[in-house]
């Protein structure tokens, strides 16, 4: 038997409890992983509280969109017992059982190896949030962004993905402008590498005109909605914004003018079904870029399975900055 955080639904009411689960109940997969850590992402918080329609599998269900662990058994030639592996995305914690369990059976094609210089705990400080942030940075670089181009904006900067984007861009030498509504997070963001802080109110009402004064050499947007529309209107000529969030709304009201008059680019970031070659590149860059000091600053705390629901509620209230790691064996 193993411990897992299990979601169940009865008469429309969701419950989340830590209970014992037999290994025989684990889903099909060619690799059995002894899970070491998972993490708490915004999507996880929506899932375990029932505030969002994240879970698409049948109940009872084990959530958790990230995991890192050691291979216990493998029918796949690409992995052997003892290998340290990571899974993020590919429906983990959404339509297939996820990382909030002491063991999980997964598909080998969804795994990547833990980078050489990264510890399992550090991998989950990164998690989906940091992986997504690095995909955004890679996309901006693919469009020609370099550290000499000018100011790069990060919205939602005190959240998990925003913190990671701030740290990554700062470590790579970019001039980072961090946007947040939390005054208490200013010192934290400067420690991560932000050169300047702007209040989120500068963007959350959207643009006043279809095209504003060109300000940003690039942007990473974790908010969406009117904030993303404001960024598009303020991008420099041929600059890009990499977008992956919708905390500020899923609708986007803009015009074609920034695209056809300034040649700006809106880059969508999908970390869930990102191809494995791109995944490996992102994890390698994370391993090369982040230092122990970055991990120490970004990690908010490590919690056990029993604490996940409470932390999830705090996250949805906006009371968490940085990253929460889940020790499934605590």
């Amino acid at each position: 038997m193993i411990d897992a955080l299990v979601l169940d639904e009865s008469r429309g009411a969701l419950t989340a409890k830590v209970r014992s689960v037999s290994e025989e109940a684990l889903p099909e997969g060619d690799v059995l992983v002894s899970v070491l850590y998972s993490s708490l992402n915004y999507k996880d918080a929506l899932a375990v509280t029932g505030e969002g329609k994240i879970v698409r599998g049948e109940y009872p269900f084990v959530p958790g969109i990230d995991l890192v662990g050691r291979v216990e058994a493998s029918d796949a030639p690409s992995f052997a017992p003892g290998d340290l592996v990571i899974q993020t995305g590919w429906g983990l914690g959404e339509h297939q059982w996820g990382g909030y369990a002491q063991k999980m059976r997964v598909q080998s094609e969804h795994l990547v190896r833990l980078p050489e210089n990264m510890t399992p705990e550090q991998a989950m400080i990164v998690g989906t949030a940091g992986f997504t942030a690095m995909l955004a940075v890679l996309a901006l670089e693919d469009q020609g962004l370099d550290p000499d181009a000018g100011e790069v904006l990060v919205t939602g900067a005190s959240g998990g993905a925003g913190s990671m984007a701030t740290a990554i861009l700062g470590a790579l030498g970019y001039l980072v402008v961090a946007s947040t509504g939390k005054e208490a997070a200013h010192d934290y963001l400067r420690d991560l590498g932000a050169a300047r802080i702007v209040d989120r109110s500068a963007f959350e009402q959207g643009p006043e005109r279809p095209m504003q004064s060109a300000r940003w050499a690039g942007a990473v947007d974790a908010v969406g909605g009117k904030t993303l529309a404001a960024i598009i209107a303020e991008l420099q000529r041929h600059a890009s914004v990499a977008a992956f969030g919708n905390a500020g709304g899923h609708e986007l009201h803009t015009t074609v003018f920034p695209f056809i008059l300034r040649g700006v680019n809106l880059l969508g970031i999908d970390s869930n079904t990102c191809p494995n070659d791109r995944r490996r590149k992102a994890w390698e860059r994370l391993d090369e870029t982040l230092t122990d000091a970055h991990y120490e600053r970004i990690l908010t705390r490590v919690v056990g399975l029993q604490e996940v629901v409470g932390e999830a509620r705090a996250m949805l209230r906006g009371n968490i900055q940085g990253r929460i790691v889940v020790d499934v064996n605590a």
Side-chain angles (χ1 to χ4, degrees):
M1 302 293 285
I2 61 170
D3 287 340
L5 178 64
V6 181
L7 303 182
D8 216 336
E9 190 177 48
S10 177
R11 298 179 181 178
L14 185 75
T15 60
K17 293 183 179 180
V18 177
R19 61 181 176 86
S20 294
V21 176
S22 69
E23 288 190 35
E24 289 73 21
L26 298 179
E28 293 184 359
D30 56 356
V31 177
L32 177 65
V33 177
S34 180
V35 181
L36 298 172
Y37 298 98
S38 184
S39 68
L40 180 65
N41 300 276
Y42 193 80
K43 187 178 286 187
D44 297 313
L46 292 173
V48 302
T49 61
E51 293 296 321
K53 295 181 179 179
I54 302 301
V55 175
R56 299 193 296 276
E58 294 183 357
Y59 293 100
F61 190 84
V62 176
I65 65 171
D66 297 335
L67 67 79
V68 62
R70 194 177 302 276
V71 173
E72 184 171 311
S74 175
D75 294 327
S78 48
F79 296 101
D83 289 345
L84 289 167
V85 294
I86 301 168
Q87 182 175 341
T88 64
W90 297 116
L92 189 73
E94 296 182 68
H95 62 75
Q96 70 179 66
W97 281 19
Y100 292 164
Q102 292 175 321
K103 292 185 182 182
M104 190 50 59
R105 196 173 287 117
V106 296
Q107 299 293 337
S108 58
E109 61 265 28
H110 296 160
L111 296 173
V112 296
R113 295 183 185 277
L114 180 73
E116 182 178 359
N117 300 311
M118 190 180 289
T119 69
E121 183 180 293
Q122 289 171 341
M124 290 297 97
I125 295 173
V126 173
T128 286
F131 173 64
T132 304
M134 180 53 85
L135 290 178
V137 173
L138 291 176
L140 292 173
E141 290 179 342
D142 288 347
Q143 292 297 319
L145 182 66
D146 65 63
D148 297 326
E151 291 186 325
V152 179
L153 176 69
V154 177
T155 63
S158 63
S163 294
M164 294 298 306
T166 301
I168 292 165
L169 289 164
L172 292 172
Y174 288 91
L175 193 62
V176 182
V177 177
S179 169
T180 181
K182 300 176 182 177
E183 188 173 348
H186 288 194
D187 288 343
Y188 164 73
L189 291 169
R190 290 190 181 96
D191 285 344
L192 289 181
R196 190 162 66 87
I197 313 289
V198 294
D199 195 87
R200 69 185 181 195
S201 60
F203 309 99
E204 60 189 3
Q205 298 304 315
E208 294 180 1
R209 299 180 300 279
M211 291 176 63
Q212 306 271 94
S213 297
R215 302 173 64 187
W216 313 115
V220 174
D221 177 51
V223 177
K226 292 180 179 179
T227 293
L228 178 55
I231 295 168
I232 291 170
E234 294 182 353
L235 287 173
Q236 296 176 12
R237 193 173 300 277
H238 304 301
S240 303
V241 52
F244 51 74
N246 64 354
H250 64 275
E251 294 185 356
L252 178 60
H253 299 282
T254 186
T255 73
V256 300
F257 294 124
F259 301 100
I260 64 175
L261 299 180
R262 286 184 181 157
V264 306
N265 304 291
L266 172 57
L267 310 174
I269 305 300
D270 168 29
S271 64
N272 192 29
T273 61
C274 174
N276 274 358
D277 285 348
R278 189 71 162 179
R279 284 180 185 273
R280 285 188 286 269
K281 180 177 181 180
W283 282 103
E284 288 167 3
R285 285 291 302 278
L286 285 159
D287 193 25
E288 295 167 0
T289 303
L290 298 177
T291 66
D292 289 347
H294 287 117
Y295 294 119
E296 290 170 5
R297 290 177 187 134
I298 295 169
L299 175 63
T300 301
R301 54 187 160 271
V302 179
V303 302
L305 289 174
Q306 295 281 4
E307 301 166 88
V308 167
V309 175
E311 295 291 342
R313 290 174 179 149
M315 179 173 283
L316 295 183
R317 292 193 299 267
N319 294 338
I320 291 176
Q321 68 181 29
R323 295 283 290 151
I324 302 290
V325 169
V326 180
D327 182 347
V328 301
N329 299 294

